[in-house]
Amino acid sequence: MIGDRSRALEPAMDRLTFFAIDTGAARAIQRGGPDAYGQQPTKVVSDGDGMPCRHCMKNIEAGEDYLILAWRPFPSHQPFAETGPIFLHARECEAMEPGPQVPDVLHQSSRYLLRGYGRDDRIVYGSGKVVPQPRIEAYARELFQDPAIAYVHVRSATNNCYQARIERA
């Protein structure tokens, strides 16, 4: 019981919320809109091997159509606004509800790059670190101890592809 009570008293900054990409942005692309480079996404058929949709945060099953596109998870162009490839269901899929749990799709790899960003959408230097998958939450909490960090990106440790965004709850 003591553990339950102490958990209720945790500071709010210890609580995390994981976010997929915005539904409006996903729908615009799924309905034929351009990617971050103004190009049409490439449509491919999944072989079922490690193609995580960044909107529903589920693996794209074998035989399903998906899109490969350039994604920039920032509100404007600036030197720290990284752009990279992501996968998205070609069909309109349901959005992953933002929540405190590490999305299941982030259990597909053994490690991820986590990096903190400030309110100005610029990298907070020294915050980037490749962590084992089970340490995603712990390292995000460590990053949020720094008041300069407004949010954290989870990226592929091997290809730097954007996976998800984490904010303080």
Side-chain angles (χ1 to χ4, degrees):
M1 291 300 174
I2 291 174
D4 293 340
R5 195 174 310 148
S6 65
R7 185 141 181 90
L9 298 175
E10 285 180 359
M13 66 192 268
D14 281 351
R15 296 188 207 127
L16 306 174
T17 303
F18 288 81
F19 292 88
I21 67 170
D22 175 72
T23 296
R27 291 292 182 261
I29 293 165
Q30 289 166 326
R31 293 174 182 169
D35 68 9
Y37 290 145
Q39 299 179 27
Q40 290 301 304
T42 302
K43 192 173 191 178
V44 183
V45 177
S46 176
D47 63 5
D49 186 27
M51 304 300 171
C53 176
R54 299 322 194 283
H55 181 250
C56 67
M57 298 300 281
K58 295 179 181 173
N59 200 43
I60 299 165
E61 298 297 323
E64 284 191 280
D65 290 340
Y66 71 98
L67 305 172
I68 303 172
L69 60 125
W71 179 254
R72 188 186 70 244
F74 299 94
S76 63
H77 292 275
Q78 43 94 357
F80 293 89
E82 300 159 294
T83 303
I86 66 165
F87 308 124
L88 183 65
H89 275 109
R91 64 175 169 80
E92 294 186 5
C93 54
E94 290 294 317
M96 178 197 83
E97 287 293 322
Q101 302 299 321
V102 174
D104 287 343
V105 76
L106 293 182
H107 293 276
Q108 290 182 352
S109 183
S110 62
R111 57 197 179 111
Y112 289 92
L113 169 63
L114 271 65
R115 186 180 302 132
Y117 294 83
R119 286 171 187 72
D120 60 358
D121 299 308
R122 293 175 182 250
I123 295 169
V124 175
Y125 282 111
S127 67
K129 182 176 179 180
V130 174
V131 299
Q133 187 282 333
R135 292 234 343 113
I136 290 173
E137 292 171 286
Y139 188 59
R141 286 186 182 98
E142 286 177 38
L143 289 175
F144 285 129
Q145 297 298 314
D146 182 344
I149 293 179
Y151 59 91
V152 172
H153 280 178
V154 180
R155 293 178 171 269
S156 162
T158 54
N159 298 312
N160 198 36
C161 301
Y162 176 85
Q163 303 290 319
R165 179 176 168 135
I166 306 171
E167 295 180 9
R168 292 174 181 93

